[in-house]
Amino acid sequence: RIAIDHGYEYPEIIENPDVTIDRLDYASELRERFEIDDNRDPNKPLGFPLKKFKELSEHTDGIQPGFYHLAAESNIGKTAVFTNLALDLLETNPDVSVMYFSLDDSRRYTAYRFLSILSQLHINKIQKPQIDPANFNKIVDARDKFLGLVESGRLIVKDLGDITHIDQLKTVITSFNDLSKLVVFVDGLYNLEVTADGNQGIRIENI
């Protein structure tokens, strides 16, 4: 009750105390987990590997389930890190999908960020006709690759035109068919609205 009053939600705390949650017993759960551990390839990371961010992958043993918070001053390069990391995940892990919430920029401009990385050309240059055949081909190849990721559903990009509230963010993420193969990036989380009801107050808004 105290936890609920302070804004916490636990699946174990239910409104009807006579109803029990159908959950695998602890010992059985651990036995299943230990069997998975014993059959892992010891030469592969626990999480999703990275090629471009190889050092990061080594330190974290791959991108594993969890909440990673990247904080820095404005215009320091957070979005550049996010977009490069997202592409690295997609290129290194063919079975992984990325959901990218661009809440500081429009999804159109974010597409040009991705295209700039894929083509290795300046973001302004890829928005103009190219006389140089080499640059023209780089842009065409980058567009084809990016559109392929989008059309296949492996890269989902949304902006404030799609969601404005934290509850919408949760709904979109949880509606994905295989969360075990999904990596979510939220660029500009502070731009989302939150609803702090009851005793939750400013704490929820600050989080």
Side-chain angles (χ1 to χ4, degrees):
R1 185 70 261 172
I2 294 175
I4 294 177
D5 289 343
H6 284 79
Y8 293 95
E9 292 182 7
Y10 294 103
E12 292 86 356
I13 301 177
I14 53 179
E15 303 219 351
N16 185 354
D18 295 327
V19 177
T20 58
I21 297 175
D22 184 14
R23 190 179 185 188
L24 193 66
D25 72 89
Y26 192 33
S28 298
E29 178 186 342
L30 289 176
R31 285 193 180 93
E32 286 188 6
R33 193 71 234 177
F34 295 158
E35 185 176 356
I36 292 173
D37 294 341
D38 292 342
N39 286 283
R40 291 184 191 277
D41 185 340
N43 299 311
K44 292 183 179 181
L46 288 175
F48 300 128
L50 300 167
K51 289 182 180 178
K52 292 180 180 177
F53 291 83
K54 190 175 181 180
E55 188 173 349
L56 173 63
S57 184
E58 290 173 353
H59 284 301
T60 60
D61 211 358
I63 300 300
Q64 302 182 51
F67 181 78
Y68 300 82
H69 186 203
L70 179 61
E73 296 289 338
S74 298
N75 300 315
I76 211 74
K78 298 186 295 297
T79 300
V81 172
F82 275 180
T83 47
N84 276 278
L85 187 57
L87 286 175
D88 194 355
L89 279 161
L90 289 167
E91 292 173 353
T92 310
N93 305 274
D95 58 341
V96 166
S97 296
V98 164
M99 197 174 285
Y100 194 100
F101 294 92
S102 178
L103 307 180
D104 270 333
D105 298 314
S106 69
R107 63 180 185 177
R108 181 185 302 172
Y109 188 75
T110 300
Y112 285 122
R113 287 185 181 274
F114 281 116
L115 290 172
S116 178
I117 297 167
L118 291 169
S119 65
Q120 294 295 293
L121 295 172
H122 192 276
I123 193 168
N124 291 339
K125 182 169 286 189
I126 60 175
Q127 300 177 63
K128 301 176 182 178
Q130 294 298 311
I131 300 175
D132 184 345
N135 287 345
F136 174 80
N137 290 330
K138 287 180 180 178
I139 294 174
V140 170
D141 290 343
R143 287 175 177 173
D144 288 343
K145 187 170 186 178
F146 184 74
L147 286 172
L149 290 170
V150 172
E151 290 172 342
S152 67
R154 291 192 61 215
L155 176 58
I156 302 163
V157 182
K158 295 185 179 295
D159 59 16
L160 288 173
D162 301 299
I163 62 166
T164 57
H165 196 281
I166 193 73
D167 291 344
Q168 293 174 309
L169 177 74
K170 178 182 177 181
T171 299
V172 173
I173 294 172
T174 55
S175 65
F176 192 78
N177 60 346
D178 187 0
L179 293 175
S180 67
K181 298 294 184 180
L182 177 68
V183 180
V184 178
F185 292 83
V186 184
D187 189 358
L189 180 64
Y190 52 84
N191 287 313
L192 288 181
E193 298 175 1
V194 297
T195 302
D197 296 325
N199 295 321
Q200 295 173 350
I202 195 66
R203 178 182 177 279
I204 297 299
E205 293 186 11
N206 286 338
I207 292 175

